[in-house]
Amino acid sequence: MDFITDVFQNRIFVSAALGWLIAQVLKTLIHFIINKKFLMERMVGSGGMPSSHSSTVCAMAAAAGMEYGGGSFEFAVTVMLAIIVMYDAMGVRRETGKQGRVLNEMLEIFLNMGNEISPEAKLKELVGHTPLQVLMGAILGIIIAVAINGI
């Protein structure tokens, strides 16, 4: 039982976990408000506003900085991880989503020509983030870390 207690008393872990959870809930609510349709998949799916990836890693980095200081190994590692994750979300994963959209449009044309294809063939389009979504996730994560850890 000590391990479980230790995990939930670890403010860095709690900050990161809440960063993810709160971003996913907000993403689901924002999607519902904009599209007037509730999709449970938004609670675990990638892409959308705000970026839960950014929120998670920024909450972790901010909490590590508050716990160990700006000159610490822990802070350096978490900041570098955050930079890599956010760069990837705006770069490779965003481009993957654009390619998925184009390929899905091509599949639709193929289907309209009377051809059959399995429903699983449709690709995910919402996998990456715009710079604004990443920025909002980062700000959310830092706010959560400050709320959990204080300044």
Side-chain angles (χ1 to χ4, degrees), residues 14-28 42-44 50 52-53 55-56 140 144:
V14 170
S15 296
L18 281 176
W20 175 83
L21 180 65
I22 292 170
Q24 288 299 124
V25 168
L26 285 173
K27 183 185 304 189
T28 304
R42 294 287 41 194
M43 277 299 295
V44 293
S52 58
H53 289 86
S55 181
T56 302
L140 175 63
I144 290 167

Side-chain angles (χ1 to χ4, degrees), residues 5-121:
T5 303
D6 288 346
V7 166
F8 287 103
Q9 289 178 347
N10 181 330
R11 293 184 300 197
I12 297 168
F13 173 78
V14 170
S15 296
L18 281 176
W20 175 83
L21 180 65
I22 292 170
Q24 288 299 124
V25 168
L26 285 173
K27 183 185 304 189
T28 304
L29 290 174
I30 290 169
H31 183 272
F32 175 73
I33 290 167
I34 291 173
N35 297 299
K36 309 290 187 245
K37 187 165 74 171
F38 180 76
L39 284 180
M40 191 60 186
E41 189 274 336
R42 294 287 41 194
M43 277 299 295
V44 293
S46 57
M49 172 71 94
S51 165
S52 58
H53 289 86
S54 298
S55 181
T56 302
V57 294
C58 285
M60 182 171 59
M66 288 183 269
E67 182 80 20
Y68 299 108
S72 69
F73 168 79
E74 293 86 352
F75 180 67
V77 169
T78 56
V79 165
M80 293 311 298
L81 175 67
I83 290 169
I84 292 166
V85 167
M86 292 187 294
Y87 179 80
D88 182 65
M90 290 186 297
V92 175
R93 288 192 313 110
R94 186 170 180 211
E95 289 302 316
T96 300
K98 288 178 183 178
Q99 291 171 4
R101 190 172 310 114
V102 169
L103 289 170
N104 285 337
E105 288 171 6
M106 291 169 63
L107 280 173
E108 195 63 39
I109 291 168
F110 184 72
L111 290 172
N112 289 336
M113 295 170 73
N115 298 300
E116 288 191 29
I117 196 161
S118 71
E120 293 85 31

